[in-house]
Amino acid sequence: MKKFRKVLDGLTTSSPGGNIGSPSCGSAAGTPTAAPTPKEIDIQETLVSENFQLCKTVRHGFPYQPTALAFDPVQKILAIGSRSGGIRILGRPGVDCYCHHESGSAVLQLQFLINEGALVTACADDTLHLWNLRQRRPAILHSLKFNRERITFCHLPFQSKWLYVGTERGNTHIVNIESFILSGYVIMWNKAIELSTKTHPGPVVHLSDSPKDEGKLLIGFESGTIVQWDLRGKKADFRIYYDEAIHSVSWHHEGKQFMCSHSDGSLTLWNLRNTSKPFQVTFPHGKIQKDGRKESCKPILKVEYKTSRNSEPFVIFSGGLSYDKAGRRPTLTIMHGKAITVLEMDHPIVEFMALCETPYNNEVQEPYAVVVLLEKDLIVVDLTQSNFPVFENPYPMDIHESPVTCTAYFADCPPDIIPILYSIGAKHKKTGYSQKEWPISGGTWTLGSHTYPEIIITGHADGSIKFWDASAFTLQMLYKLKTSKVFEKPKQGEGRAAELVEEDPFAVQMVSWCPQSRIFCVVGISAHVILYRFSKYDANTQIVSLEVRLQCESEDVITPSENENNPCFSESGSHSPQPHHQHAASPGSGTPDGIKDSIPCLKVKDRMVRVPPGYQADLVIQLLWVDGDPPQQITSLDINSAYGLLAFGNCNGLAVVDYLQKTILLCMSTLDLYGAADPYQRLTRSPRRNRQSTSGLTELSDNQQSIDMERSKSPTSDHVNGHCTSPTSQPCSAGKPRVPMGPEGPRLTRRGPGRPPFRKAQSAACMEISLPVSHTEESRENSFSRSRSSSVSSIDRDTKEAITTLQFGESYGRKSDVLPTPCLWVGTSLGMVLLIPISIPTDQEERMEEPVTIGPSGAVLMLKGSVLRFGFLDCMGALIQSPCEVWRDLNAPEDPDRPRRRKLVHFSPSSSQDACGEGHLAVLCSERQAKVFLMPSQSCLFVHNITESSFVLRADVISVCNSVCLACFCANGHVMTLSLPSLRPLMDCSYLPLTDMRIARTFFFTNGGQALYLSSPTEIQRITYSQEMCDNLQEMLGELFTPIETPEAQNRGFLKGFFGGNAHTFDREELFGEAAAGKASRSLAQHIPGQAGVEGMKVAASGAVGELARARIALDERGQRLGELEERTALMMTSAETFSKHAHELMLKCKDKKWYQF
């Protein structure tokens, strides 16, 4: 615990128009000067470095680019492998584990050690891995790297410790699972096929042991050759040569027949009595044409042949459709007796697997469901009902239903918000699901003690918003809101709408939510803002629309007349709303014919609409086209329910709206906001150039580098999380090279650096940085992680200063203020911070009638780089929340006894400062540095330069461990925390190299030491940087393995056992062990021991806490094993007692009998 004492006085020089923070304030202490009445502040900081540790917690969503599937029928857990080397293991809701191969190689195949708590993975780098699932964070125990051969197929028989591995060369190797060492026993391809065969059979595509005899191994080669290999005799029992390539093989449980799927869309059934030709050949989807020939069909990629006691066998396969029908969706076909059911899928099928009651392959299989892994979804089909309904998926697999474009994360929400959102959302759930319970029900999960209400909000490219319950490391959809319903549908051939047909005009760019008042604000890519209010009742409403003309070019500005005052001081009468549309006072709307001017990008519904319970649109604000130029996308937004105000800004300027009176209070360019306090010597603009006609909204620069960079940008056009990510000397032009001005100049740079073309909204999931390969100085300057400079004294004439962050709050607009008043803090891309005081009527009746007045700019402060975040602390170091309104339902029936009044909750900065005097601390963070100012004196107390080589993408003032800190995420992948107010570095962890804009666009900090980002286009990764949460992580995660008794094999009966072969006398150890088979060649494969301890945490625990955590994990695992052993011992004792009792009864019964009486 450290104490910081500061003499707080006027450290900076003041000016009549405002105050500029001294740029020379480079040290934490600054340079104190004499003051007549110095004040002393005493803040005890409790956070230390030991409070922070970074680790991943849980991953939600559908595994991106899945490749493999496996199921443990006893433990009832499912594993999915992906192309990036990830594994997702799923059980009952709450049991959801993600682990990753460090190599990043694609997972080719997964094999559970059934009921053993282990998993074998085969990867594309020809490495086998054994994962231990008996701990909450699975770890690799062994790895085996093949050096000379490529792995193509693996098979692990039930209750066997020998894994069969097929290779591209056609050989079959055998691996001991316990030691992960190759056996000397090898089935070479040239021994498997006949010597007379002249061609190579191709890679091994199938391996399986015969259900009738485990000593027989069926090997399928790609070319169509099938061999049954006698493992004891080391010879082939039979060989089948078929002229169509094989994709998969499936046995009948009796071991007398097997079925193959082929590349020509056929299924062949083979009987072991006669292997010279197939017993049956069928083309399930191949019809006979008029000329008598069968139509050609697509390959059947997989078939499963499953038997049932009380009905005909199930034949389930994917593919096999005829080629003649173009555009048909992928299908899964279920043949049950004579009935054929074709299930059409929305996405291509990656893999499917029938779930059966028994783990034994020589028993009646009794399939009850089919898991279908699609490229972008996971479906489970109920086989027990004739119409084959699907189960309702309890996992959040549809995050990417429409591409995610923004995220927000709220921890410690009001406890009543989740139930109310769920009750509203439950009314719109789909029906028709299977009534049975979700069959993947393995593992155990309990609600941890460290839980609190958490909500994640995702915005999507189609304009939809999803609210998710994220409490206790789970994710469940609560409510879905469609913002597109506010607008008329764009129709083809209709003016401006025709140009937007192929785009995503409703894509969500950012959201702002006040959980206390339940007011929700959405910013869309078409430069529109929608304000929603929450109601439990449906209503008929007419949406009010305001239209704002926000332009900042100096040639547009005219001298206001007596009747047309500056919007800052305008009377409310000058903004009286028209019936449903209103234009902010702005000059120059007359334009020649053919040029778009003063029209919005979308048309709001202008009729009465019926809105269901939930979030209901209250106000729509749209920016207008100006002289043929589309409006600039909105880069910052804030809403305050206590003030009834909404503010937003872009590259052109700032607008403030009174959403209670539905009026525009302020609409002016950033330059005009400064007044006389502008710190930059700006060059005057030249008159506007003549603009040429354009081919549409999607015009791009002819320069190839510009085109490449356009593709790589986020939906916000050079803005990340609503903040400008371009160099501070050239805001809103990231990645655009300077094109030399020549005769073609105006055409190439028609829009200028602040006018990116209006283009299709990219998902936040697909914003990959694809920098062109160039060695010029210019391309290096345009790279995403370039160095930035903010020491700009003269601004180029084409530069626009973007509004990058906004925040309402109680503060002191000027040095002379004695009491805090409502203020708007404005941060810009040039590192400038402006305070705008606001005067709001206090009485409720006056608030709805009297105008809100916005005074001229107060203080002006300065930071290096684009401003990202504001935060406010009282003089005791506690976080000050913005005032808010308590939620009230405007559609609820009126109660005459209790009239509805606005209830406001104020967090006054002077409430806890009797000993410290008046004032509060303002925390300002930019992409380069953080500063702490004392208000109202505007003294700079602390400065910290966060980074020199990179820049901050996201910064938030958050609560953690009953204290407050500043959390930052940098473009170089570092996550940092700084103490407040002293800005001491507490943690600096290199978490991940930032390679795409997706992570930058979606990274979000929240209270409690948590954060999230979109780790892939379909998955949300949650992380924690709190040591306390890392320590409690084990108990908050689900258990993958639970001790379950392996079901006993059915009694085969005397005759079946006598005539069915000697399947149970097969000893693999005797054949494959080192004594009999010898050692394998050392050069063939290399054994790699697994890493000890907990795998999967990016940052290893250090010190005594980490050691204790590891010891606790080891103890838990040992306790699990001892508990399992104890259960087995108890079962054996019970069995022994039962046997003893029966033996004693039999002895008493037979005691006095003669020999002939038996």
Side-chain angles (χ1 to χ4, degrees), residues 459-481:
H460 301 264
D462 64 353
S464 61
I465 305 278
K466 290 181 181 178
F467 290 78
W468 306 84
D469 177 8
S471 310
F473 285 164
T474 61
L475 197 70
Q476 182 181 13
M477 230 260 278
L478 294 173
Y479 174 71
K480 184 177 179 180
L481 173 67

Side-chain angles (χ1 to χ4, degrees), residues 293-337:
R293 293 185 303 170
K294 289 231 174 189
E295 58 184 353
S296 58
C297 297
K298 298 175 183 177
I300 295 179
L301 300 177
K302 184 177 180 180
V303 64
E304 292 212 348
Y305 187 21
K306 300 297 180 184
T307 52
S308 180
R309 281 191 186 86
N310 304 320
S311 65
E312 297 286 323
F314 285 88
V315 177
I316 307 165
F317 61 89
S318 61
L321 293 178
S322 58
Y323 278 106
D324 62 339
K325 294 183 180 177
R328 283 191 68 173
R329 294 195 290 181
T331 60
L332 183 79
T333 306
I334 302 173
M335 299 170 63
H336 189 214

